[in-house]
Amino acid sequence: MQALTHINVAHVAIEKKDIKAAQEALGEADKLLKSIKDSLPTAKIKQTLEAAKATPDTADWTSIYQQLDQIRVFLPSAVAKQAAGKPATADTAKDSSASKSTTPAPSAESLDAVLVALQYTEIDLPVKSAISAVEKSQQALKKENLPAAGKALQEAENNIVVLQGVVEEPLSQAHLSLWQSLANLKKGSVNDAKRYLKDAIGFLETAAQSTDKTTKEAGEKLLTEGKALQAELDKQSADQTSTDTAGINSKLERFGLHTEAWAERAINYAYTKTAEATGNALKDELIEARFHLTNASIELGTAQAPAAAKQELEQAQTFLKQALQQTDDLWADASYKQQVTDMQAQVDKLLQGQPEQLASSSTQLHQIRQALQTVIHNL
């Protein structure tokens, strides 16, 4: 809200042709947005990993694996395991026998894979887009191009409205509560896990009553599975260990990831509604394609269900084909259509193999999703 206030001040200054005041206000907005970006959990662990990568032999990898485990809901578990060389769990991370000397450094390649997987979360996206729009406006002001600066400010305002919606939106709140539930369950805090899961169910019930069609659809689809998980967790006693709850841990993690996927889908549709852009029908096809690619990654990484992942890839491929059939007038830049064509070819190649061969494609799928997200927001 503070960032939005500064952007509004800049807007008024531009209308008065006061470039200096507009630049000062945008500078303050830029600082606030970058502060939000740097405070995200994924940003913090990325900084830790980058520093450890520079001195791998002296880094405290036991502690780093523990940090990765705490946010593994943000990334494909198969990639996290690849970096650790074994499943990174709260128990192994806290094992008193583990130390810097007994925990070997992972390969540079596996660290790169984790860093790639950490490039995006549902909250990263509107923050990055808002920062980009503010910087675009600042550049326009340097050239005294007031119309371009004002147009970029409108884009920034739209992005911040979406960011505010992300924080308050029930699907995002449900996802964060599920992460807290999972983290507590892994620590053995069963009662706290139950409390956070109850909160998540409440947010999903709110989503199911939403007037927004996308949010309502997600809430209705997720509620049944969420209540079944809640009933299963309610049967667990407070003195259960993480080993005792291993089965429900996996189910809760998968459910949290699917909730995040639905939240990302809702956020992408929110962008489509707020952005002053043409070609919403085209964006809808791409949003649905990305949603199914995300679900494919979840089925591979957490559920380890390659057959289900293949079905999701087939759905994604259908939407990519429909997007490519849209009139060329809707593609703001021909290069974006070529990028989507390349993505379709990559997905085709994955589908031509056996379901079991998909198990090693988590990182590739993540990269396709990242590239598709960029196209969605640049169209």
Side-chain angles (χ1 to χ4, degrees):
M1 289 305 297
Q2 290 179 36
L4 187 57
T5 298
H6 285 297
I7 286 175
N8 286 334
V9 170
H11 233 152
V12 172
I14 286 175
E15 290 175 359
K16 294 179 179 179
K17 298 184 180 181
D18 187 345
I19 293 177
K20 182 179 178 181
Q23 287 174 328
E24 289 176 354
L26 286 181
E28 292 301 316
D30 190 53
K31 287 178 187 177
L32 287 164
L33 290 169
K34 287 176 178 173
S35 175
I36 295 170
K37 178 176 175 287
D38 291 341
S39 70
L40 298 177
T42 45
K44 292 179 180 178
I45 187 61
K46 277 165 66 179
Q47 291 173 1
T48 301
L49 284 173
E50 290 287 6
K53 196 176 169 185
T55 55
D57 294 332
T58 57
D60 183 358
W61 290 106
T62 297
S63 174
I64 290 170
Y65 293 153
Q66 185 176 4
Q67 291 179 61
L68 272 174
D69 187 62
Q70 289 172 349
I71 64 164
R72 66 192 295 235
V73 71
F74 288 121
L75 56 115
S77 60
V79 177
K81 291 177 182 179
Q82 179 188 11
K86 59 183 178 179
T89 65
D91 287 340
T92 57
K94 292 179 179 178
D95 189 343
S96 60
S97 64
S99 67
K100 294 181 185 179
S101 60
T102 60
T103 307
S107 68
E109 292 78 9
S110 60
L111 276 178
D112 286 337
V114 174
L115 286 167
V116 166
L118 286 168
Q119 284 176 1
Y120 173 82
T121 71
E122 64 185 67
I123 297 178
D124 277 332
L125 186 62
V127 177
K128 290 178 181 176
S129 298
I131 290 172
S132 175
V134 166
E135 290 176 345
K136 191 188 300 181
S137 182
Q138 288 173 316
Q139 291 300 317
L141 285 175
K142 286 180 181 178
K143 299 175 182 178
E144 298 187 4
N145 187 342
L146 298 184
K151 183 177 180 181
L153 280 188
Q154 183 61 57
E155 182 183 340
E157 288 176 339
N158 289 339
N159 290 332
I160 292 176
V161 167
V162 174
L163 173 59
Q164 183 182 1
V166 170
V167 175
E168 297 177 354
E169 196 260 346
L171 293 175
S172 297
Q173 291 178 313
H175 165 240
L176 294 174
S177 292
L178 287 167
W179 175 81
Q180 292 284 0
S181 179
L182 178 63
N184 277 283
L185 194 59
K186 287 182 177 180
K187 289 191 301 183
S189 304
V190 177
N191 286 339
D192 285 334
K194 291 177 181 179
R195 177 167 58 84
Y196 279 111
L197 181 55
K198 182 179 179 181
D199 289 344
I201 296 299
F203 289 129
L204 291 176
E205 288 173 339
T206 300
Q209 300 299 318
S210 174
T211 56
D212 176 72
K213 180 181 176 182
T214 307
T215 302
K216 179 179 176 64
E217 178 188 6
E220 290 174 344
K221 287 185 178 294
L222 291 166
L223 257 181
T224 301
E225 185 178 353
K227 288 182 176 179
L229 264 176
Q230 185 179 34
E232 187 173 345
L233 184 58
D234 282 343
K235 295 177 182 177
Q236 305 292 327
S237 60
D239 58 354
Q240 296 279 66
T241 66
S242 57
T243 302
D244 297 327
T245 60
I248 194 170
N249 277 353
S250 177
K251 293 178 183 178
L252 188 56
E253 180 178 5
R254 180 175 177 272
F255 183 62
L257 287 167
H258 276 300
T259 301
E260 182 184 23
W262 281 100
E264 288 175 354
R265 176 176 178 265
I267 290 162
N268 275 328
Y269 275 114
Y271 268 109
T272 302
K273 292 174 184 175
T274 57
E276 294 182 339
T278 58
N280 285 359
L282 169 60
K283 284 194 175 186
D284 289 356
E285 306 286 4
L286 297 179
I287 289 169
E288 291 301 320
R290 190 183 188 281
F291 175 63
H292 287 288
L293 287 172
T294 301
N295 285 333
S297 292
I298 295 168
E299 297 301 337
L300 285 177
T302 305
Q304 297 181 349
K310 191 166 186 175
Q311 291 178 352
E312 292 291 345
L313 285 177
E314 289 170 348
Q315 289 289 320
Q317 189 69 306
T318 297
F319 284 108
L320 288 176
K321 287 179 180 177
Q322 290 174 188
L324 290 169
Q325 290 168 0
Q326 297 281 357
T327 173
D328 286 340
D329 293 340
L330 295 181
W331 294 89
D333 186 322
S335 66
Y336 295 140
K337 187 170 185 178
Q338 183 57 53
Q339 288 178 50
V340 174
T341 300
D342 293 342
M343 293 175 208
Q344 185 188 33
Q346 293 178 62
V347 174
D348 260 336
K349 189 173 181 179
L350 290 174
L351 285 170
Q352 288 169 10
Q354 296 299 316
E356 293 75 15
Q357 295 174 310
L358 287 173
S360 60
S361 62
S362 289
T363 301
Q364 183 183 359
L365 268 178
H366 183 84
Q367 291 170 339
I368 296 172
R369 287 164 49 213
Q370 290 287 89
L372 184 54
Q373 188 66 60
T374 300
V375 172
I376 291 169
H377 281 265
N378 285 341
L379 276 175

